[in-house]
Amino acid sequence: MVFFLFQVLVGLIMVHLARLLMKNYHGGHVAIRFALGGCANRPYFRIVAAYNKRARDGKYLEQVGCYDPLPNSHNEKIVGLNIERLKHWIGCGAHVTKPVEKLLGFSGLFPLHPMTITNAERLRKRRALEAPATSQEETPSD
Amino acid sequence: MAALGAPRCLWRCAAAPLGLPRAGRALAGSRGHGQDAGSEADKKESHATKPCFTDEAVQSLLYKMTGLDLQKIFRPLKQELKPPTYKLMTESELAEATRKAIQEAKELLKMSPVLSEREPIDDVLAEDRILEGTETAKYVFTDITYSTPHRERFIVVREPTGVLRKATWEERDRMIQVYFPREGRKLVPPPIFKDENLLTVFREDRHEDILNLCIAQFEPDSANYIRVHHRTYDDIDKHAKYHLLRSTRHFGGMVWYLVNRKKTDGLLIDMIQRNLMDDATCLVSLYHILHPDCQSAKAAKDQVLHGVDLIKVFMKTESNRIGYIELALQAYQEALASSAAL
């Protein structure tokens, strides 16, 4: 009888001690972001739901996808997205970082990111300026 | 710089599920599971349209013709070397073991599905021409949710031109193999399935092996699967090597193919020569189910024929090689008469 009470007390204390040992974040939030892996000159990203304050490649809550930035033999960049879990984390209030937003904009899950469109237009303007510049260079050389 | 167009946040609603075009038989990637579920729906269809591979009557006929040669089914497969186990059994235990072996053999003989070729997918979800020239490679997005069936999985491709389209069947198969690899299936189909290499396989009489490889590698409604199967069946018919596939699970498919194209003569002769009269009558009745408008079918219905008479009527009206079949029938009847006399 006494031994039983002793065990219950020890259990309660250990739970509180364990709580103190766990990492607590004050004002942190969950983020869906890229975690870099792979080798030298060979990046590979895992799309991961992790606490904001954690290291980039550190402990995460859940892996929600993967992205291979190098094109394969069919000239494809392969992206895998666990849509169900992604929607769950976004529903729980996770923030999504800009690169992941841009990638999801390409996929069609999110609308196209404004910076994607801005960069596309800037690139187009730069190329339009360069084209007459090169044609002017060619005519004097003839 | 607002986003173009309405936000397509949940394109699950917009994109129609990528199911099979006909009466939704969901084949979850494994062989033979759809048949039992689909046969009821097909029975209703068959009264209106032509009979299907999965009809119960058709399946029972094909199964009878396949035969149940236990020695061939359970012949040693190329596996790791294990010394044989010997068991001491009573008569009743032996009967029980044989019964279990027959049940296992029936499982192994489950016919692989025969489907028509799948229609190519070309569905554009979005056109964002503004992205043209920004990227050099395509992006292939696969939904890796574990619980969705592979046929309903969303796989989309964003081209360098900015067009967001659904992936083609080949891209789908490749991506699903990357994320959910299946045993025996390679990412790139091996060169053995090319036409010129198939000839080498046929020369060595390894039709069954190539058909097993084909089932492991390709989806049942893909063009490659159908092409390899048809080439194999044509070669077997050309050289009359029907015995290679008898008592395997490919026999039913082969008979269905031959009866649909009315090339049944060689098979009929082979059956009569091996004294498989029941199989021959099954073959003729299957022919009548599939082609109910032919002369012999009408004659059979009028006169209610059985056995050898059925084959004779069929032979006179439908076959091209009447002489050979007559000779074979004669030889069979002489053999019967002599064995009866003995």
Side-chain angles (χ1 to χ4, degrees), chain B residues 17 36 40 58 72 75 80 127 130 141 157 174 191 205 228 231 242-243 246 258 286 297 317 321:
Chain B
D36 306 317
E40 267 149 40
V58 173
K72 186 169 176 190
R75 72 171 180 273
E80 45 167 305
E127 287 233 20
I130 198 145
F141 298 93
V157 176
R174 205 160 15 100
D205 281 354
V228 171
R231 293 261 190 286
Y242 307 100
H243 204 64
R246 196 165 272 137
L258 294 172
L286 183 67
T317 52
R321 292 191 254 173

Side-chain angles (χ1 to χ4, degrees), chain A residues 76-77 79 81 106 108-109, chain B residues 8-9 11 138 142 144 158:
Chain A
E76 298 161 348
K77 292 186 188 173
V79 180
L81 301 165
F106 275 131
L109 193 66
Chain B
R8 275 176 290 276
C9 287
W11 36 259
K138 339 182 224 179
T142 318
I144 45 179
R158 174 77 77 172

